[in-house]
Amino acid sequence: MTSEIKKKGFNYIYMKQCVESSPIVPIQQEWLDHMLRLIPESLKEGKEREELLESLINEVSSDFENSMKRYLVQSVLVKPPVKWLEDEGGPLPESPVGLDYSNPWRSSYVQARNQIFSNLHIVHPTMKMLLDLGYTTFADTVLLDFTGIRAKGPIDCESLKTDLSIQTRKAEEKIMNTWYPKVINLFTKKEALEGVKPEKLDAFYSCVSTLMSNQLKDLLRRTVEGFVKLFDPKDQERLPIFKIELTFDDDKMEFYPTLQDLEDNILSLVERIAEALQNVQTIPSWLSGTSTPVNLDTELPEHVLHWAVDTLKAAIHRNLEGARKHYETYVEKYNWLLDGTAVENIETFQTEDHTFDEYTEFIEKFFSLASEIMLLPQWIHYPMVRLDCEDLKTGLTNKAKAFANILLNDIASKYRKENERICSEFEAIKEHALKVPETTEEMMDLISYVEKVRTAGIEELILRIQESKRQMSYFLDVFLFPQEDLALNATVLMWPKKINPIFDENDELIENAKHKKENELMAKREKLILEIEKESRRMEEFTEFAELERMQQYVTDVRQLQKRIQESEEAVQFINKEEELFKWELTKYPELDKLKVNIEPYQKFFNFVLKWQRSEKRWMDGGFLDLNGESMEADVEEFSREIFKTLKFFQTKLKKELQEKRKAARKRSLEEEKIEEEPKENPTLTMCSTVMEQIKAFRV
């Protein structure tokens, strides 16, 4: 039994496949066209909609073919009672059986038709004429013409708003001057109210107002939809092109107008369209001529306005995405010029110690940045925007150049100070080189200074001038020098030529000063020799001093001679110093040294005698009670020893002098006079003996 069921099942499947493989008449194209006409035109526009319609047609055709095959199978074959042969499509609908259609309907039909005629004023002939008039006037038109907006090229948003507002006003006036008079004319005829009962007159006019309102609302709705469709990102052929600028104001990068302003202006056009045709009078109001007219309800539904605003916002946001990204590119690359980063970098750089080349390298970064910005395109074209970047480019370029100029002014100031230092050093060299030396030492210092300047100083200054010249070459390309700086630069460059005549003048000045100082030195040497001779003669006079009463005068004379000897020593030091400066052989003055040695004993002797005389006078003539025997005895003993030493010193000295004279006499010829064997009486020795006797007598 199971095998029999299986056999029936497999036979059914085979027969079903044979039936399904037979040719099926496809769905007629007229049916498809009719179905497509049922779809609103607004749902069929656009590339994706076309693909969707094609997919829908294929699906309908496939469903029709499958249904026909199922119908054919179910009509030809009888499915055996096998569970695993269920038909997924389900059974075909069966025709109703046993229904009773014998109920009378004529009376109810007539009643319903009469009720329709009495209440449904839309079927009135005048309504048909009004409908035809509205269809003829508004069917293929909208309130505004959006076709030529893109062809105008880039426009201001305000200009578009103004143009569309003018078009709206003109279109409104045209409608009120063409369509509305025709409508009024319809209802001024006698046959306009034919068949309308007086009690139904208000309802009739209400129907007229509703029909007119619907026609005007449909016109406004289609106009709004057309305006919204204008900004569809997927259909850019009619998309308007707005002028937007990237501006630079108060160190900020901004859109002008701002993207929000642009969006608000576009959205305001929806409101402007919705405000049109809001003052159209109803027919009864116009016919009655009342002072307070009643207008048709032509206000667009809120959902239409919300849909338009939401759709426009999304479309505008997508269409402005390119402009936003371009703005963000500027912000990402150049905002550091505006947010304080550049100022901080420059201030940090200025506080550090950098060379001229490091300065120029840093400056070139700003100049390169300015050049880079200037080479950026002035206009950037997007589907809905022509972005003008000229103002922003100019502002950023000026900003970069301003930072470069800060650094330029900094190194220009340093360059100016360096040039001033070079000039001041040359001026100092000039002043020093041309100064007449007052002393030989100053002259030698001047010679040494000029020699050093000629070898090392000028070389260093020339190197600094060459560096200044190199820096000037850079400044001439990027910096505008004031007139005083140009004069300073020229002075710096001319100094190497101006300094040589100064050195020549210095050579002449040194030569004259040297000749003068040499003559002065010779005169000083001769004067010193004469002075030493005078001092020697004066020294010889001391040997003749023999009057004890004039001892005070002798002491004074010795001091004066010592002072003159001291002055002569200073003169010798000065002369030797001058000779050393002139690189002459140093002159020696042994007579002066001899004078210093010979005057010392006389100075001690005369001071000792004077001291003795004063002490004796004080002891002899002073107060008796003031005397102290012990101290007097010690002082007298000291005087006695000193006078004895002095006497011995002068005796020894006299003896040595006699011996030297004898030696000298032997060397000379025998014809010269013979030196006395015994010396004559010496006044100094006599005074020493006298003082010694006085001391002895005082002691007694």
Side-chain angles (χ1 to χ4, degrees):
M1 186 174 180
T2 302
S3 62
E4 185 68 22
I5 292 173
K6 288 183 178 180
K7 184 177 180 181
K8 290 182 179 180
F10 288 127
N11 289 336
Y12 176 79
I13 292 173
Y14 173 73
M15 295 297 294
K16 179 181 178 182
Q17 291 176 350
C18 292
V19 172
E20 287 179 346
S21 63
S22 63
I24 301 296
V25 178
I27 189 171
Q28 298 183 24
Q29 186 62 35
E30 293 180 0
W31 299 356
L32 293 174
D33 293 342
H34 182 70
M35 283 188 285
L36 289 176
R37 280 197 296 271
L38 297 177
I39 301 174
E41 290 296 326
S42 60
L43 298 179
K44 293 191 283 184
E45 295 177 352
K47 187 175 181 180
E48 292 185 0
R49 303 290 176 83
E50 293 178 358
E51 295 176 355
L52 183 61
L53 286 175
E54 184 177 354
S55 174
L56 180 62
I57 291 173
N58 294 334
E59 183 180 352
V60 170
S61 301
S62 176
D63 290 344
F64 177 81
E65 183 177 351
N66 292 335
S67 298
M68 292 301 294
K69 287 181 179 180
R70 287 176 56 241
Y71 174 78
L72 187 61
V73 169
Q74 293 182 10
S75 301
V76 174
L77 299 177
V78 177
K79 183 172 74 68
V82 180
K83 292 183 179 180
W84 48 270
L85 290 178
E86 285 85 359
D87 188 0
E88 296 178 357
L92 293 175
E94 297 179 356
S95 299
V97 179
L99 294 179
D100 185 9
Y101 292 100
S102 61
N103 291 335
W105 54 269
R106 175 67 182 172
S107 59
S108 61
Y109 164 74
V110 172
Q111 182 181 359
R113 187 184 66 174
N114 293 333
Q115 187 177 3
I116 288 173
F117 278 135
S118 62
N119 293 315
L120 190 62
H121 302 295
I122 193 65
V123 297
H124 193 277
T126 305
M127 292 294 185
K128 183 177 181 301
M129 296 172 63
L130 177 61
L131 186 63
D132 291 341
L133 180 60
Y135 184 81
T136 304
T137 306
F138 304 130
D140 298 326
T141 62
V142 289
L143 201 61
L144 300 174
D145 182 13
F146 303 118
T147 56
I149 294 178
R150 189 173 182 84
K152 294 179 181 179
I155 57 174
D156 294 330
C157 185
E158 288 292 337
S159 299
L160 177 64
K161 184 177 179 181
T162 303
D163 291 344
L164 293 183
S165 296
I166 293 173
Q167 284 189 41
T168 302
R169 187 177 67 253
K170 290 182 177 180
E172 191 174 4
E173 292 175 355
K174 181 179 179 181
I175 290 172
M176 295 304 295
N177 292 329
T178 56
W179 170 78
Y180 193 69
K182 292 179 181 179
V183 172
I184 296 297
N185 188 43
L186 281 178
F187 292 95
T188 54
K189 296 178 180 179
K190 293 181 180 181
E191 58 271 17
L193 301 177
E194 184 177 350
V196 180
K197 297 179 180 180
E199 62 273 12
K200 298 291 184 178
L201 192 59
D202 291 339
F204 178 78
Y205 279 124
S206 176
C207 183
V208 171
S209 298
T210 301
L211 179 57
M212 293 174 65
S213 296
N214 290 341
Q215 289 178 336
L216 294 178
K217 284 182 181 180
D218 183 65
L219 174 64
L220 294 176
R221 179 187 58 77
R222 286 185 287 109
T223 304
V224 170
E225 290 175 353
F227 181 72
V228 172
K229 186 179 179 182
L230 199 62
F231 294 89
D232 187 0
K234 300 176 183 178
D235 184 12
Q236 300 177 358
E237 294 181 357
R238 297 191 302 163
L239 192 65
I241 304 174
F242 294 103
K243 293 179 182 178
I244 298 182
E245 296 182 23
L246 278 177
T247 62
F248 183 83
D249 185 24
D250 195 20
D251 286 350
K252 293 180 181 178
M253 294 184 283
E254 297 176 339
F255 284 105
Y256 179 79
T258 64
L259 301 185
Q260 186 60 46
D261 290 343
L262 178 64
E263 179 180 313
D264 292 343
N265 284 329
I266 293 174
L267 295 179
S268 68
L269 287 172
V270 175
E271 297 178 1
R272 178 66 186 90
I273 295 172
E275 291 172 357
L277 300 173
Q278 298 301 309
N279 297 319
V280 180
Q281 282 184 275
T282 61
I283 299 301
S285 175
W286 189 91
L287 293 175
S288 63
T290 59
S291 57
T292 54
V294 178
N295 297 326
L296 295 173
D297 177 20
T298 57
E299 185 176 352
L300 282 174
E302 286 295 327
H303 73 275
V304 175
L305 294 178
H306 288 321
W307 168 83
V309 170
D310 294 341
T311 306
L312 279 176
K313 283 184 177 180
I316 292 170
H317 187 272
R318 290 186 60 183
N319 286 322
L320 294 178
E321 188 174 348
R324 284 195 187 90
K325 289 183 178 179
H326 192 72
Y327 167 78
E328 291 169 359
T329 302
Y330 269 97
V331 171
E332 180 181 353
K333 295 179 68 176
Y334 307 117
N335 193 53
W336 67 277
L337 293 171
L338 312 177
D339 62 3
T341 303
V343 174
E344 183 179 352
N345 291 344
I346 290 174
E347 290 176 351
T348 303
F349 186 85
Q350 288 177 325
T351 56
E352 299 169 349
D353 186 17
H354 291 281
T355 64
F356 179 82
D357 292 333
E358 289 172 340
Y359 260 97
T360 57
E361 182 179 354
F362 195 30
I363 291 170
E364 283 304 315
K365 289 183 180 179
F366 286 102
F367 279 130
S368 299
L369 188 63
S371 300
E372 173 190 325
I373 295 171
M374 285 304 295
L375 291 176
L376 294 174
Q378 177 181 353
W379 291 294
I380 306 296
H381 296 275
Y382 295 102
M384 198 182 79
V385 172
R386 189 200 70 178
L387 194 60
D388 187 351
C389 307
E390 185 62 24
D391 185 71
L392 179 58
K393 285 173 52 184
T394 303
L396 290 175
T397 301
N398 293 338
K399 195 69 176 177
K401 289 181 178 179
F403 288 133
N405 288 332
I406 291 174
L407 295 169
L408 271 177
N409 289 328
D410 191 9
I411 58 171
S413 176
K414 295 180 180 179
Y415 175 75
R416 186 183 305 110
K417 291 178 181 178
E418 172 65 9
N419 283 348
E420 289 173 351
R421 284 193 292 268
I422 292 173
C423 288
S424 63
E425 290 182 26
F426 271 109
E427 289 290 348
I429 292 172
K430 177 182 177 181
E431 182 180 356
H432 202 160
L434 298 182
K435 182 181 179 181
V436 178
E438 296 180 358
T439 63
T440 305
E441 187 175 3
E442 289 183 2
M443 182 184 70
M444 293 303 173
D445 290 342
L446 180 58
I447 293 173
S448 176
Y449 172 77
V450 172
E451 185 65 26
K452 182 179 179 181
V453 166
R454 279 181 167 175
T455 54
I458 292 297
E459 289 293 331
E460 180 185 351
L461 286 172
I462 288 177
L463 290 176
R464 289 167 64 183
I465 290 174
Q466 290 176 352
E467 176 63 18
S468 175
K469 186 177 180 180
R470 183 180 75 87
Q471 294 181 12
M472 188 192 304
S473 300
Y474 173 78
F475 279 120
L476 291 176
D477 291 334
V478 297
F479 188 73
L480 183 62
F481 283 108
Q483 193 63 36
E484 55 270 19
D485 283 359
L486 292 175
L488 178 62
N489 297 341
T491 303
V492 170
L493 296 178
M494 292 300 295
W495 262 117
K497 293 183 179 179
K498 290 167 58 178
I499 200 66
N500 290 327
I502 293 173
F503 286 145
D504 295 339
E505 190 174 349
N506 172 263
D507 293 340
E508 184 179 351
L509 184 147
I510 292 295
E511 189 64 30
N512 294 335
K514 190 174 183 181
H515 183 68
K516 179 181 177 182
K517 295 301 178 182
E518 287 177 350
N519 293 336
E520 290 178 356
L521 181 58
M522 295 296 293
K524 287 180 180 179
R525 288 167 69 174
E526 293 175 359
K527 181 179 178 182
L528 179 60
I529 293 172
L530 294 175
E531 181 65 24
I532 293 174
E533 290 178 355
K534 289 180 182 179
E535 293 170 0
S536 298
R537 288 194 297 269
R538 181 61 176 163
M539 183 68 200
E540 291 175 359
E541 294 176 359
F542 289 168
T543 60
E544 303 297 329
F545 290 170
E547 301 177 12
L548 290 174
E549 296 79 8
R550 299 183 63 190
M551 193 53 61
Q552 179 66 47
Q553 181 63 41
Y554 296 161
V555 171
T556 302
D557 292 344
V558 169
R559 289 176 179 173
Q560 290 179 351
L561 182 57
Q562 282 183 320
K563 184 178 181 181
R564 290 170 63 184
I565 291 172
Q566 180 66 29
E567 292 175 353
S568 297
E569 283 185 327
E570 293 175 357
V572 170
Q573 292 177 358
F574 177 78
I575 290 171
N576 288 339
K577 186 177 181 181
E578 296 279 297
E579 290 170 341
E580 187 177 356
L581 292 174
F582 282 121
K583 297 183 180 179
W584 290 358
E585 185 179 356
L586 300 182
T587 56
K588 297 181 180 179
Y589 301 91
E591 293 297 327
L592 184 60
D593 296 335
K594 187 177 179 182
L595 279 173
K596 288 175 62 179
V597 174
N598 291 337
I599 198 173
E600 187 68 24
Y602 287 101
Q603 187 264 344
K604 289 183 179 180
F605 175 63
F606 292 154
N607 283 328
F608 169 74
V609 173
L610 182 61
K611 183 179 180 182
W612 156 250
Q613 290 177 345
R614 290 176 176 174
S615 297
E616 182 188 19
K617 182 175 178 59
R618 186 177 70 253
W619 291 334
M620 298 301 294
D621 298 337
F624 183 77
L625 296 178
D626 295 335
L627 297 177
N628 186 328
E630 293 179 358
S631 64
M632 286 172 58
E633 185 177 1
D635 291 341
V636 170
E637 185 65 29
E638 181 68 25
F639 284 137
S640 179
R641 285 196 298 271
E642 287 296 328
I643 195 62
F644 180 75
K645 289 180 183 178
T646 303
L647 178 61
K648 289 297 183 183
F649 174 78
F650 280 112
Q651 287 175 348
T652 304
K653 182 178 180 227
L654 182 59
K655 192 174 182 179
K656 287 182 180 179
E657 289 177 354
L658 288 173
Q659 290 176 355
E660 289 176 0
K661 287 181 180 180
R662 290 191 191 101
K663 289 180 182 179
R666 291 192 191 98
K667 291 179 182 178
R668 292 194 295 268
S669 62
L670 296 176
E671 295 178 357
E672 294 181 1
E673 296 183 0
K674 246 179 129 178
I675 300 177
E676 298 180 6
E677 292 295 332
E678 294 296 334
K680 297 179 180 179
E681 186 178 353
N682 188 289
T684 305
L685 292 176
T686 302
M687 283 195 296
C688 285
S689 300
T690 304
V691 172
M692 185 177 291
E693 291 298 328
Q694 290 177 354
I695 294 172
K696 287 181 180 179
F698 180 80
R699 177 182 294 175
V700 173

